[in-house]
Amino acid sequence: MTHPHDTAARRLGFTLAATGAVMFSAKAILAKFQYRHGIDALDVLALRMLLSLPLFVALGIHESRRPGREPMTRRDFGLILILGVLGYYLSSLFDFWGLEYVPVSLERLILFLNPTFVLLIGVFAFGRKVARREWIALAVSYSGVALVFVENLRVQGDHVLFGSALVLLAALSYALYLAMSGHLIKRIGSLRLVAYAMCVSTAATVIHYLLLREPARLLELPAPVYWLALINAVFCTFLPVTFTMGAVARLGAGMAAQMSVVGPVSLVFLGAWLLGEAITPVQLIGTSVVLGGVLLLTRPGANSVPVAATAEAK
């Protein structure tokens, strides 16, 4: 018989996973609203990183002080430096840049292919063997994205091609982060790694910004930009990380990963409702195909995608 406490924990886990997935996805909506005020991807990224930094610093300090934590080595710090640049600086930069050209529903769908990219990196970089079911899942996922892409190209125009390429680079960059982070997650913990990596990515973003622009620009933007950036930093960056890891603790990585399908589905309708983006039957069919392929790939025991795949902070 299932214990009431276990049932309550699983119910809370499902709630956390679904809420985290929607929050993660909603950052694309907020970015679109910010772009209406004449700013670009670098401005959005800089504000997001700077406003979320205090929260991740506090999280890093809290996690490092937990009993039983292994001390960090010089190699650990070097790897975190690489992961921070790959996972939350380059990936986020390409993502926000791509959002200047593609609808939010297509952006989230491409990013949702992360588990398939991690699998392919394992095949080509580490010689991992892939089961037949995994190849089928890959084929299904990419055929669905191709269907949605062609439909968006017809509806939106040629700029979708460039934007999709940027979002694809974002997904590849984050997949490299996931593929390289598995061992470190086991050593120092996922929340600790995310906190440290976000600090590195914030430093990289600030350096990038200072090389191209005057820092005073960030203090001269319209007021709505700052409110949107604050919501992005807290509700679409920091809280989803903690929600998702809470879901993993209660449901396991496989089930939490499957719940992340709520994100792309929610954006199809949120994009139409809040941004006036078109929804066509072909887009809905393609989205369903992609979600089916990724669900097949992320079923428990289906592959070895790291737990961090369920805790993106892009």
Side-chain angles (χ1 to χ4, degrees):
M1 190 173 85
T2 304
H3 194 280
H5 177 73
D6 295 334
T7 302
R10 285 180 61 81
R11 188 180 297 117
L12 177 59
F14 284 122
T15 302
L16 290 172
T19 304
V22 175
M23 283 181 163
F24 274 134
S25 301
K27 65 103 169 82
I29 300 281
L30 294 174
K32 289 286 191 179
F33 280 130
Q34 287 177 291
Y35 292 152
R36 294 178 178 179
H37 295 277
I39 67 173
D40 62 11
L42 186 55
D43 294 317
V44 171
L45 179 60
L47 289 171
R48 179 204 193 201
M49 292 299 187
L50 289 171
L51 291 175
S52 65
L53 180 62
L55 298 173
F56 282 105
V57 168
L59 178 63
I61 293 173
H62 176 268
E63 289 297 308
S64 65
R65 290 178 175 174
R66 290 180 61 180
R69 287 298 189 194
E70 293 190 28
M72 300 279 290
T73 66
R74 186 173 298 179
R75 183 179 181 278
D76 291 337
F77 282 113
L79 187 55
I80 286 173
L81 185 65
I82 296 172
L83 293 175
V85 171
L86 278 175
Y88 301 123
Y89 162 61
L90 283 179
S91 181
S92 296
L93 180 62
F94 286 133
D95 183 27
F96 284 126
W97 191 6
L99 275 169
E100 295 184 26
Y101 302 97
V102 301
V104 296
S105 55
L106 179 59
E107 175 259 3
R108 180 50 45 176
L109 208 57
I110 295 174
L111 292 181
F112 196 64
L113 291 175
N114 267 324
T116 71
F117 292 140
V118 174
L119 180 64
L120 291 174
I121 289 170
V123 171
F124 294 109
F126 305 111
R128 180 180 177 272
K129 294 183 178 180
V130 178
R132 180 183 177 185
R133 184 176 70 174
E134 293 172 322
W135 284 120
I136 294 174
L138 287 172
V140 169
S141 299
Y142 286 98
S143 63
V145 168
L147 190 63
V148 175
F149 170 75
V150 170
E151 179 67 0
N152 274 278
L153 197 61
R154 181 185 69 82
V155 174
Q156 303 283 339
D158 293 341
H159 60 277
V160 169
L161 182 62
F162 180 62
S164 297
L166 291 172
V167 179
L168 184 64
L169 286 174
L172 288 172
S173 179
Y174 195 72
L176 286 170
Y177 164 84
L178 293 177
M180 297 171 62
S181 65
H183 176 69
L184 199 56
I185 287 174
K186 293 177 182 177
R187 271 186 40 79
I188 71 173
S190 57
L191 285 178
R192 192 178 175 193
L193 173 59
V194 168
Y196 290 172
M198 284 296 288
C199 292
V200 170
S201 69
T202 301
T205 301
V206 169
I207 292 171
H208 185 170
Y209 200 93
L210 293 177
L211 288 174
L212 296 182
R213 296 175 186 170
E214 291 294 329
R217 172 180 165 82
L218 284 180
L219 303 176
E220 301 169 349
L221 300 174
V225 169
Y226 299 114
W227 287 112
L228 291 166
L230 183 62
I231 294 171
N232 192 344
V234 177
F235 293 98
C236 301
T237 304
F238 179 76
L239 287 181
V241 170
T242 56
F243 283 4
T244 304
M245 295 318 299
V248 169
R250 292 166 175 81
L251 303 175
M255 184 61 70
Q258 292 190 54
M259 287 298 296
S260 66
V261 302
V262 176
V265 172
S266 68
L267 271 197
V268 171
F269 300 100
L270 285 176
W273 175 38
L274 298 174
L275 301 173
E277 294 182 352
I279 299 180
T280 69
V282 175
Q283 289 171 327
L284 292 176
I285 293 171
T287 299
S288 300
V289 170
V290 175
L291 299 184
V294 174
L295 279 175
L296 182 61
L297 191 62
T298 55
R299 287 176 60 186
N303 63 76
S304 58
V305 176
V307 172
T310 66
E312 59 165 329
K314 294 189 311 305

